[in-house]
Amino acid sequence: MVRVPLTEAERARGERLGAALREARGVRSMVEVAAQAGISVETLRKIETGRIPTPAFFTVVAVADAVKLSLDALRGIVEDGEAGTLPRVS
């Protein structure tokens, strides 16, 4: 099976996803967040830097949960490019 290359818009969306998750991580270490999300540090690093622009849905959910970021807020940032204070989940 051949994978269709990502468009520039899809790559940009992946970069926004990574930046939002990185911002939400704040001062917490990648090791701590990756462990809480159940993923490797390398996977988290690749997501945050946009090297994995289309991570699996459940991976995104796990990381968002680990950094207490609502999926609604994350979607708004990724789709609309909204910036500013990230709403957190209690």
Side-chain angles (χ1 to χ4, degrees):
M1 177 167 82
V2 177
R3 184 172 177 161
V4 177
L6 298 175
T7 66
E8 196 56 41
E10 290 167 327
R11 288 184 206 282
R13 188 176 59 213
E15 289 173 5
R16 288 191 303 273
L17 171 67
L21 292 173
R22 167 62 188 100
E23 181 182 342
R25 181 167 57 85
V27 298
R28 293 176 60 197
S29 74
M30 290 182 106
V31 172
E32 178 185 348
V33 171
Q36 189 172 355
I39 63 173
S40 71
V41 174
E42 186 59 25
T43 297
L44 181 58
R45 179 178 292 112
K46 287 178 180 179
I47 292 169
E48 286 186 356
T49 60
R51 289 179 42 214
I52 300 178
T54 58
F57 173 75
F58 292 105
T59 301
V60 174
V61 170
V63 176
D65 186 50
V67 297
K68 306 257 188 274
L69 180 61
S70 78
L71 291 179
D72 286 336
L74 185 58
R75 180 175 183 237
I77 294 164
V78 171
E79 293 299 322
D80 303 329
E82 295 174 8
T85 304
L86 295 172
R88 302 298 172 100
V89 175
S90 302

